[in-house]
Amino acid sequence: MLDVKIYNSPVKPTWCPGCGDYGILNAVKAALAQLEILPHEVAIFTGIGCGSKLPDYMTVTAFTTIHGRPIPVATGAKLANPKMHILVVAGDGDTYGIGANHFIQALRRNPDITLIVENNMVYGLTKGQYAPTSQKGMVTSTTPEGAIEVALNPLAMAITGGATFVARGFSGDPKHLAWLIAEAIKHKGFSLVDVLQPCVVYNKVQTYDFYRERVYKLEEEGWDPADRKAAWEKAHEWGDRIPIGIFYRVEGEPTYEDQVPALREGALTTQPVGLDPQAFEALLNEFA
Amino acid sequence: MAESTVNNMTIRLAGEAGQGVDTGGAGFAKALANAGLWVFTTSEFMSRIRGGLNFYQIRVADHPLYSHVEPVNLLLAFTEEAVSEYAGTVVPGGGVIYDQGLKVREEMVARNGVQAFPMPLVKIAQEVGGNRIMMNTAALGAAAGVVELPFEFIAEIIQRNFRRKGDAVAEANLKVAEAGYRYAREHYAAGFPWKLQPRKTSRPRLMMTGNQAIGLGALAAGCRFISAYPMTPASSIMEWIAAHGARYKVVVKQTEDEIAAITMAIGAAFMGARAMTATSGGGFSLMVEALGLAGMAEIPVVVVESQRPGPSTGMPTKTEQGDLLFVLHASQGEFPRIVLAPGTIEQCFWTMVRAFNLAEKYQCPVIVLTDNYMAFQARTVLRQDFDYTKVEIDRGALLTKEELEQMEGPYLRYKITESGISPRALPGHPKAVFQACSDEHDEYGHFEDEDAENRVKMQSKRMRKLRTALAEIRPPEVYGPEDPEVTFLTWGTTYGPVREAVDILNSQGVRARMLHFVDIWPFPVDAVLPLLERSGRLVAVENNGTGQFAHLLRAMTGREVDDRILRFDGRPLSPDYILRKFEEARIHA
Ligand SMILES: Cc1ncc(C[n+]2csc(CCOP(=O)(O)OP(=O)(O)O)c2C)c(N)n1
Ligand code: SF4
Ligand SMILES: [Mg+2]
């Protein structure tokens, strides 16, 4: 167990007081400390949004990319250097809206990447428009009469799409969340931790109290995460009771990078740049 | 002066997609190259998988060729439409080979002194080979017969191409080709003036396409990662590299879209792999936001933009140079980028090597601009022009493990320096903990998107890299006499057509000169200004409708061109086209 202080940053968070992102930040640090992953052994990729500022408040290798694109950037990074631990931390708009196609593709590719979604069911940074995960009827600045679409169900999508680890946490319970994130990082393959994250400014429905009254822990009810079909059904439970914990987990599926022939001899980044002259002549011979 | 009729001609194969126009043409071109001749091929394909009308055109000579030309000496027409569409491109005295069974009126072919060469090609295929599908083999044999190329060169290429399909297939094709050859030689060779004779070659030659040269250059430069989304005419770059990926340890990732294509390459480059993507204008449009990410976060990424006529889907299988100003300005804000536009197969190779070096030295996106014409053209080139000992890998200011270990204090990824270049560290080292950031940031990489002073410092630092890079930006190639009366200003893939037009004009006593740009941005102003003073009449020659490079020249030097020779009908510029337009302008002037 490392001291979480090694991840501290001189930068003070700009999040609103009480924002659910604080709990996620603490949980990420705690999970890394627990797994004894040093700041240079992990790279955190984010998009743009309130939650995407998370690594700025840490000392860790990080890349703040653009809105919606942290997943492909992280995938490229993983393929270049599979030895690094790779985390993606991004908002629900980032992941399930503008970047949704990348999310779907990552599910079936199964790179060894952990995706943590700060799901506040609203667009925080742009001041309160509705998000793909906003519940039907949610009133926001762009849906004054209530959102018309049905909310996107990320967990069911992930299970359907081929994810090998699917979990949900609650930022109001950072200890439990840290455990989930650690399990996700330990999992070899693509892991999703969707986090219920209250936005205290723009989401007046899904508040801390709303969740505290409803969430329960799957592992406390003897949930078996090996059953994919049951997990998919469980992913639809949303009402008086809201499950958190590991919905689905399957071990032993090959990762994308494990199956790339070019990576058989290790990370691209540790190999010399350029060709062996004989290999080059062999290439020229193809044109002779 | 009558032009030589030995080793100086153009052969066009034309027919429907699926009739082997492309493979047959490529095989024939290879046979000519093996005979020691210089070859330049172009093709025009319709955007469909079956049917339509396509052609593959082979120009052949005793000397190196840089361009195609429009007049055809021998047309191999596989369909009636191929005859009616293209008989008009054949010069007087030239010939059209076609199957007797096609409904072709001979008078129509013979209209302009063109000779009709009807032959029992299908019959030969059926009777000698047992399958009418070998009709194109019979036609290729016939073409060789008419030009009296020794049959051994055709035999060799048939053996090579059909070996995979088994001895029986190769044997049958060989017999069909030979029958076609004999028939044509007996009936038509005597009346056909153009002949091809093998030549001894002293220096080994290669034959490759533009896209192959780009792939080869990328591998030579140590590219280890390509992520791309298929789009004509760029797709065959990814396909060629994919075919070599396992052996040369290149990760090849076909992505869900072009946004993922460029962002994955950016992720791989961030980690330290030499990474690229390749696309056409439509895909590049999707990459635009991420191009700025590479600019802001200072990630070395190489983007090949192989142009085709737009706007929008445009003409997917045709050519144009319509994206120059777009790639120069794409993405919001101001950031350094380098734009290179190779003009020959050799330049495609060397430009890729330079692109990867420049990207890492200046930690910015490098755009390599080509087009359909370059992508699909094939040329014989000298093997010695691809000398690997001349390939230099320069990764720029990249901190070694030792340097990182000895470093005092924290590593500053975006350290402010005189050159604008902040030494780069690759993630994974205990000292290399930093944040790459798309928001304005401080030297460490932390968000600093409010402070005015920091903004000016960081933006100036980034932009200084362009000034630094300018020192190794190459001036345009000057081709032609010292005191020109006319200078053709051109860039990228028009190199060959303009160079040959210049040669022809000089042989006619017109002192014409070419200024050809590969390095376009940062613009080499200081090198260009003196050249403009002695230009004579300055004529922009571009494969687009507005003269985009002429705009750039005016913006950068204040010099307005005197005239423009432009083409935007989807077809490449050719020496003939340039000379025609030049004549018209002279008449009107
Ligand atoms: C291409 C692009 N479109 C729009 C934006 C503006 N924008 C920034 S963050 C954001 C949405 C943020 O929502 P979410 O991803 O849920 O993050 P949150 O702020 O809620 O944590 C938008 C639309 C942008 N930065 N880039
Ligand atoms: S707007 Fe909402 S999500 Fe953003 S910092 Fe404030 S509370 Fe957090
Ligand atoms: Mg959100």
Side-chain angles (χ1 to χ4, degrees), chain B residues 31-51:
Chain B
L32 299 180
N34 290 347
L37 304 176
W38 293 92
V39 171
F40 184 104
T41 80
T42 43
S43 48
E44 198 176 296
F45 286 86
M46 286 190 170
S47 185
R48 51 161 100 174
I49 306 305
R50 286 283 178 271

PDB file of all heavy atoms in Angstrom, chain B residues 31-51:
ATOM      1  N   ALA B  31       6.150  -6.196 -67.644  1.00  0.00           N
ATOM      2  CA  ALA B  31       6.879  -6.878 -68.723  1.00  0.00           C
ATOM      3  C   ALA B  31       7.761  -5.879 -69.469  1.00  0.00           C
ATOM      4  O   ALA B  31       8.923  -6.167 -69.785  1.00  0.00           O
ATOM      5  CB  ALA B  31       5.894  -7.543 -69.681  1.00  0.00           C
ATOM      6  N   LEU B  32       7.232  -4.684 -69.697  1.00  0.00           N
ATOM      7  CA  LEU B  32       8.011  -3.661 -70.403  1.00  0.00           C
ATOM      8  C   LEU B  32       9.188  -3.197 -69.545  1.00  0.00           C
ATOM      9  O   LEU B  32      10.298  -2.982 -70.047  1.00  0.00           O
ATOM     10  CB  LEU B  32       7.122  -2.476 -70.769  1.00  0.00           C
ATOM     11  CG  LEU B  32       5.943  -2.809 -71.703  1.00  0.00           C
ATOM     12  CD1 LEU B  32       5.129  -1.559 -71.986  1.00  0.00           C
ATOM     13  CD2 LEU B  32       6.433  -3.439 -72.997  1.00  0.00           C
ATOM     14  N   ALA B  33       8.931  -3.062 -68.252  1.00  0.00           N
ATOM     15  CA  ALA B  33      10.022  -2.669 -67.356  1.00  0.00           C
ATOM     16  C   ALA B  33      11.105  -3.746 -67.358  1.00  0.00           C
ATOM     17  O   ALA B  33      12.307  -3.442 -67.379  1.00  0.00           O
ATOM     18  CB  ALA B  33       9.486  -2.453 -65.941  1.00  0.00           C
ATOM     19  N   ASN B  34      10.685  -5.006 -67.359  1.00  0.00           N
ATOM     20  CA  ASN B  34      11.653  -6.106 -67.390  1.00  0.00           C
ATOM     21  C   ASN B  34      12.449  -6.110 -68.695  1.00  0.00           C
ATOM     22  O   ASN B  34      13.570  -6.613 -68.743  1.00  0.00           O
ATOM     23  CB  ASN B  34      10.949  -7.454 -67.234  1.00  0.00           C
ATOM     24  CG  ASN B  34      10.395  -7.637 -65.827  1.00  0.00           C
ATOM     25  OD1 ASN B  34      10.734  -6.878 -64.920  1.00  0.00           O
ATOM     26  ND2 ASN B  34       9.526  -8.626 -65.652  1.00  0.00           N
ATOM     27  N   ALA B  35      11.848  -5.546 -69.733  1.00  0.00           N
ATOM     28  CA  ALA B  35      12.547  -5.471 -71.018  1.00  0.00           C
ATOM     29  C   ALA B  35      13.526  -4.295 -71.042  1.00  0.00           C
ATOM     30  O   ALA B  35      14.083  -3.967 -72.093  1.00  0.00           O
ATOM     31  CB  ALA B  35      11.536  -5.349 -72.149  1.00  0.00           C
ATOM     32  N   GLY B  36      13.689  -3.652 -69.897  1.00  0.00           N
ATOM     33  CA  GLY B  36      14.677  -2.578 -69.801  1.00  0.00           C
ATOM     34  C   GLY B  36      14.158  -1.228 -70.254  1.00  0.00           C
ATOM     35  O   GLY B  36      14.928  -0.301 -70.476  1.00  0.00           O
ATOM     36  N   LEU B  37      12.830  -1.094 -70.357  1.00  0.00           N
ATOM     37  CA  LEU B  37      12.250   0.173 -70.799  1.00  0.00           C
ATOM     38  C   LEU B  37      11.783   0.981 -69.596  1.00  0.00           C
ATOM     39  O   LEU B  37      11.524   0.441 -68.529  1.00  0.00           O
ATOM     40  CB  LEU B  37      11.079  -0.108 -71.746  1.00  0.00           C
ATOM     41  CG  LEU B  37      11.464  -0.971 -72.953  1.00  0.00           C
ATOM     42  CD1 LEU B  37      10.239  -1.300 -73.792  1.00  0.00           C
ATOM     43  CD2 LEU B  37      12.517  -0.265 -73.795  1.00  0.00           C
ATOM     44  N   TRP B  38      11.685   2.283 -69.793  1.00  0.00           N
ATOM     45  CA  TRP B  38      11.161   3.159 -68.745  1.00  0.00           C
ATOM     46  C   TRP B  38       9.657   3.274 -68.920  1.00  0.00           C
ATOM     47  O   TRP B  38       9.176   3.461 -70.034  1.00  0.00           O
ATOM     48  CB  TRP B  38      11.802   4.539 -68.824  1.00  0.00           C
ATOM     49  CG  TRP B  38      13.265   4.523 -68.504  1.00  0.00           C
ATOM     50  CD1 TRP B  38      14.277   4.379 -69.387  1.00  0.00           C
ATOM     51  CD2 TRP B  38      13.862   4.648 -67.212  1.00  0.00           C
ATOM     52  NE1 TRP B  38      15.478   4.408 -68.729  1.00  0.00           N
ATOM     53  CE2 TRP B  38      15.256   4.572 -67.392  1.00  0.00           C
ATOM     54  CE3 TRP B  38      13.362   4.814 -65.918  1.00  0.00           C
ATOM     55  CZ2 TRP B  38      16.157   4.659 -66.336  1.00  0.00           C
ATOM     56  CZ3 TRP B  38      14.257   4.913 -64.871  1.00  0.00           C
ATOM     57  CH2 TRP B  38      15.638   4.829 -65.071  1.00  0.00           C
ATOM     58  N   VAL B  39       8.965   3.162 -67.816  1.00  0.00           N
ATOM     59  CA  VAL B  39       7.509   3.060 -67.873  1.00  0.00           C
ATOM     60  C   VAL B  39       6.869   4.070 -66.925  1.00  0.00           C
ATOM     61  O   VAL B  39       7.403   4.358 -65.857  1.00  0.00           O
ATOM     62  CB  VAL B  39       7.087   1.619 -67.476  1.00  0.00           C
ATOM     63  CG1 VAL B  39       5.589   1.515 -67.314  1.00  0.00           C
ATOM     64  CG2 VAL B  39       7.594   0.611 -68.500  1.00  0.00           C
ATOM     65  N   PHE B  40       5.757   4.632 -67.355  1.00  0.00           N
ATOM     66  CA  PHE B  40       4.935   5.477 -66.472  1.00  0.00           C
ATOM     67  C   PHE B  40       3.486   5.071 -66.699  1.00  0.00           C
ATOM     68  O   PHE B  40       3.006   5.114 -67.831  1.00  0.00           O
ATOM     69  CB  PHE B  40       5.115   6.957 -66.820  1.00  0.00           C
ATOM     70  CG  PHE B  40       4.375   7.887 -65.882  1.00  0.00           C
ATOM     71  CD1 PHE B  40       5.069   8.599 -64.914  1.00  0.00           C
ATOM     72  CD2 PHE B  40       2.999   8.036 -65.954  1.00  0.00           C
ATOM     73  CE1 PHE B  40       4.396   9.457 -64.042  1.00  0.00           C
ATOM     74  CE2 PHE B  40       2.326   8.881 -65.080  1.00  0.00           C
ATOM     75  CZ  PHE B  40       3.029   9.600 -64.127  1.00  0.00           C
ATOM     76  N   THR B  41       2.786   4.671 -65.661  1.00  0.00           N
ATOM     77  CA  THR B  41       1.393   4.267 -65.862  1.00  0.00           C
ATOM     78  C   THR B  41       0.446   5.165 -65.065  1.00  0.00           C
ATOM     79  O   THR B  41       0.776   5.652 -63.992  1.00  0.00           O
ATOM     80  CB  THR B  41       1.138   2.807 -65.438  1.00  0.00           C
ATOM     81  OG1 THR B  41       0.982   2.749 -64.018  1.00  0.00           O
ATOM     82  CG2 THR B  41       2.266   1.887 -65.864  1.00  0.00           C
ATOM     83  N   THR B  42      -0.722   5.354 -65.647  1.00  0.00           N
ATOM     84  CA  THR B  42      -1.813   6.028 -64.933  1.00  0.00           C
ATOM     85  C   THR B  42      -3.068   5.212 -65.174  1.00  0.00           C
ATOM     86  O   THR B  42      -3.123   4.399 -66.111  1.00  0.00           O
ATOM     87  CB  THR B  42      -2.116   7.437 -65.476  1.00  0.00           C
ATOM     88  OG1 THR B  42      -2.092   7.376 -66.895  1.00  0.00           O
ATOM     89  CG2 THR B  42      -1.188   8.465 -64.960  1.00  0.00           C
ATOM     90  N   SER B  43      -4.072   5.470 -64.396  1.00  0.00           N
ATOM     91  CA  SER B  43      -5.311   4.739 -64.621  1.00  0.00           C
ATOM     92  C   SER B  43      -6.478   5.628 -64.248  1.00  0.00           C
ATOM     93  O   SER B  43      -6.323   6.614 -63.532  1.00  0.00           O
ATOM     94  CB  SER B  43      -5.328   3.463 -63.790  1.00  0.00           C
ATOM     95  OG  SER B  43      -4.953   3.744 -62.464  1.00  0.00           O
ATOM     96  N   GLU B  44      -7.624   5.257 -64.775  1.00  0.00           N
ATOM     97  CA  GLU B  44      -8.828   5.986 -64.405  1.00  0.00           C
ATOM     98  C   GLU B  44      -9.902   4.948 -64.134  1.00  0.00           C
ATOM     99  O   GLU B  44     -10.220   4.141 -65.005  1.00  0.00           O
ATOM    100  CB  GLU B  44      -9.240   6.909 -65.548  1.00  0.00           C
ATOM    101  CG  GLU B  44     -10.190   7.983 -65.075  1.00  0.00           C
ATOM    102  CD  GLU B  44     -10.525   8.968 -66.187  1.00  0.00           C
ATOM    103  OE1 GLU B  44      -9.622   9.667 -66.650  1.00  0.00           O
ATOM    104  OE2 GLU B  44     -11.705   8.996 -66.569  1.00  0.00           O
ATOM    105  N   PHE B  45     -10.410   4.958 -62.931  1.00  0.00           N
ATOM    106  CA  PHE B  45     -11.385   3.950 -62.551  1.00  0.00           C
ATOM    107  C   PHE B  45     -12.676   4.581 -62.092  1.00  0.00           C
ATOM    108  O   PHE B  45     -12.660   5.606 -61.426  1.00  0.00           O
ATOM    109  CB  PHE B  45     -10.809   3.040 -61.466  1.00  0.00           C
ATOM    110  CG  PHE B  45      -9.791   2.099 -62.034  1.00  0.00           C
ATOM    111  CD1 PHE B  45      -8.476   2.480 -62.173  1.00  0.00           C
ATOM    112  CD2 PHE B  45     -10.184   0.858 -62.500  1.00  0.00           C
ATOM    113  CE1 PHE B  45      -7.549   1.644 -62.757  1.00  0.00           C
ATOM    114  CE2 PHE B  45      -9.263   0.007 -63.085  1.00  0.00           C
ATOM    115  CZ  PHE B  45      -7.943   0.396 -63.208  1.00  0.00           C
ATOM    116  N   MET B  46     -13.744   3.943 -62.455  1.00  0.00           N
ATOM    117  CA  MET B  46     -15.041   4.428 -61.995  1.00  0.00           C
ATOM    118  C   MET B  46     -15.280   3.911 -60.601  1.00  0.00           C
ATOM    119  O   MET B  46     -14.755   2.889 -60.203  1.00  0.00           O
ATOM    120  CB  MET B  46     -16.143   3.928 -62.916  1.00  0.00           C
ATOM    121  CG  MET B  46     -16.150   4.647 -64.239  1.00  0.00           C
ATOM    122  SD  MET B  46     -17.651   4.182 -65.112  1.00  0.00           S
ATOM    123  CE  MET B  46     -17.587   5.338 -66.458  1.00  0.00           C
ATOM    124  N   SER B  47     -16.125   4.640 -59.879  1.00  0.00           N
ATOM    125  CA  SER B  47     -16.403   4.285 -58.502  1.00  0.00           C
ATOM    126  C   SER B  47     -17.437   3.170 -58.446  1.00  0.00           C
ATOM    127  O   SER B  47     -18.541   3.352 -57.979  1.00  0.00           O
ATOM    128  CB  SER B  47     -16.900   5.527 -57.769  1.00  0.00           C
ATOM    129  OG  SER B  47     -17.078   5.240 -56.416  1.00  0.00           O
ATOM    130  N   ARG B  48     -17.099   2.035 -59.011  1.00  0.00           N
ATOM    131  CA  ARG B  48     -17.989   0.880 -58.917  1.00  0.00           C
ATOM    132  C   ARG B  48     -17.167  -0.390 -59.069  1.00  0.00           C
ATOM    133  O   ARG B  48     -16.047  -0.359 -59.562  1.00  0.00           O
ATOM    134  CB  ARG B  48     -19.098   0.943 -59.963  1.00  0.00           C
ATOM    135  CG  ARG B  48     -18.573   1.179 -61.382  1.00  0.00           C
ATOM    136  CD  ARG B  48     -19.603   0.769 -62.394  1.00  0.00           C
ATOM    137  NE  ARG B  48     -20.337   1.894 -62.926  1.00  0.00           N
ATOM    138  CZ  ARG B  48     -21.217   1.767 -63.917  1.00  0.00           C
ATOM    139  NH1 ARG B  48     -21.486   0.578 -64.428  1.00  0.00           N
ATOM    140  NH2 ARG B  48     -21.847   2.814 -64.393  1.00  0.00           N
ATOM    141  N   ILE B  49     -17.708  -1.506 -58.631  1.00  0.00           N
ATOM    142  CA  ILE B  49     -16.933  -2.741 -58.539  1.00  0.00           C
ATOM    143  C   ILE B  49     -17.049  -3.565 -59.818  1.00  0.00           C
ATOM    144  O   ILE B  49     -16.146  -4.279 -60.214  1.00  0.00           O
ATOM    145  CB  ILE B  49     -17.396  -3.578 -57.312  1.00  0.00           C
ATOM    146  CG1 ILE B  49     -17.351  -2.724 -56.038  1.00  0.00           C
ATOM    147  CG2 ILE B  49     -16.549  -4.830 -57.121  1.00  0.00           C
ATOM    148  CD1 ILE B  49     -16.013  -2.085 -55.741  1.00  0.00           C
ATOM    149  N   ARG B  50     -18.214  -3.476 -60.475  1.00  0.00           N
ATOM    150  CA  ARG B  50     -18.400  -4.201 -61.741  1.00  0.00           C
ATOM    151  C   ARG B  50     -18.982  -3.254 -62.786  1.00  0.00           C
ATOM    152  O   ARG B  50     -19.714  -2.326 -62.449  1.00  0.00           O
ATOM    153  CB  ARG B  50     -19.370  -5.385 -61.548  1.00  0.00           C
ATOM    154  CG  ARG B  50     -18.762  -6.558 -60.802  1.00  0.00           C
ATOM    155  CD  ARG B  50     -17.826  -7.377 -61.695  1.00  0.00           C
ATOM    156  NE  ARG B  50     -17.193  -8.483 -60.987  1.00  0.00           N
ATOM    157  CZ  ARG B  50     -16.038  -8.389 -60.322  1.00  0.00           C
ATOM    158  NH1 ARG B  50     -15.402  -7.247 -60.258  1.00  0.00           N
ATOM    159  NH2 ARG B  50     -15.536  -9.431 -59.704  1.00  0.00           N
ATOM    160  N   GLY B  51     -18.669  -3.530 -64.065  1.00  0.00           N
ATOM    161  CA  GLY B  51     -19.239  -2.728 -65.147  1.00  0.00           C
ATOM    162  C   GLY B  51     -18.492  -1.413 -65.323  1.00  0.00           C
ATOM    163  O   GLY B  51     -17.346  -1.266 -64.931  1.00  0.00           O
TER     164      GLY B  51
END
